[in-house]
Amino acid sequence: MLTSFSTIALKSPVDGSLIFPCIIGSGEDWVLVDTGYPDTSGDLLKQLNSYKLKATLLTHDDFDHVGGLSAIRKTFPTLPFWSSEPEAHALSGLVSSERLLQAEAGFDALPEDMKSGAAAFIELLRNQDRFEIKTTWQDGQECLPGWQVIYTPGHTRGHISLFAPDSLTLIAGDALVFADGRLEIANPHYALDLAAAVRSVARIQALRPTSILCYHGGWVKEGIDDMLEELQRIYASM
C-alpha cells in the first residue's frame, strides 16, 4: 500500500525551536497530524492550501499539539477531529485535561519564583478551546490506508503514534524526541506515567522502524535501533 507524508516545520513561539506537524495520506485522503500553537496557525494554514483534508488527528492533548485547533475550525468548519479514545473526553471539553490536573496538583509545591509562570500556564490550559472529537481510534486500527494507529501511552494516558508498515515509517508525536543527536523520552519529569513511556519505547523498537518523525527534533533515519535500545537501558537503571 502506497503511503505518503509531508512534514510541516513551524517555529515554536516559546523557545524558537522547530516543531513538526505533518500530513499523511494515500490517494485523495489527507489527514493533518497535530496543529502546533495558536501563534503558528498562520504558517500552518499556508502549508495546507494544496491539500484536500479529510480530518485532523491529534496524537495527544498538549497545548503545543492542539493549540492550532481554533484556526483549523475557522478555516475548515466541517473538518472532523480524531484522537485515541482515552484522549477524547478531555479534548472534547467533557473533563479536565491530564496536563491541567497535573499542573494544578503540583502548584503548591513549586518554589515561589516559579509560581508566576506556572499560574500563567494553568490559566492557558483552562482557557484552551475544546472541540468535539468525531472519531476515536483503537490500538492497531488503520486510520488511513497504509497507516496504523499505535497506542504509545506514558507522556499522556492516551498518546498515540502512527506507523506505516510498508515504509517502516513512524510518526512518534511525543512518544520520542530527538535532541543532541539521540532519541529521548519527551520531558520525562512531566510524563504522566514514565514506566508506561519506557514500555512504549520498547513497543516502537519492536516495529523496527527505519525512519521516525519526532514532533520535537524532526526526522531520524540512522542508528534508530541502537538508540532505542540504549534509551531503555538508561531508564531500566534508574
Side-chain angles (χ1 to χ4, degrees), residues 221-235:
K221 298 186 178 182
E222 296 181 356
I224 289 173
D225 193 65
D226 289 342
M227 284 190 284
L228 293 175
E229 189 71 34
E230 177 63 18
L231 185 54
Q232 292 170 79
R233 281 198 296 268
I234 290 171
Y235 282 93

Side-chain angles (χ1 to χ4, degrees), residues 18-96:
L18 293 179
I19 56 174
F20 294 91
C22 66
I23 301 168
I24 63 172
S26 179
E28 295 186 356
D29 290 333
W30 296 96
V31 170
L32 171 66
V33 182
D34 290 332
T35 70
Y37 294 89
D39 291 349
T40 58
S41 295
D43 288 339
L44 174 67
L45 291 171
K46 287 178 185 177
Q47 297 185 61
L48 296 178
N49 284 336
S50 59
Y51 293 92
K52 184 177 179 181
L53 290 182
K54 178 179 182 177
T56 293
L57 188 152
L58 304 166
T59 59
H60 66 291
D61 183 11
D62 260 337
F63 186 70
D64 56 332
H65 293 254
V66 304
L69 281 177
S70 292
I72 294 292
R73 171 59 78 227
K74 289 177 183 177
T75 306
F76 307 100
T78 62
L79 191 71
F81 298 144
W82 298 350
S83 76
S84 71
E85 187 172 341
E87 299 280 301
H89 283 178
L91 286 166
S92 298
L94 301 177
V95 298
S96 295

Side-chain angles (χ1 to χ4, degrees), residues 38 63 70 100 119-130:
F63 186 70
S70 292
L100 172 58
F121 180 62
I122 288 170
E123 193 64 18
L124 184 72
L125 295 181
R126 286 174 176 168
N127 292 325
Q128 181 177 311
D129 290 333
R130 299 285 167 175

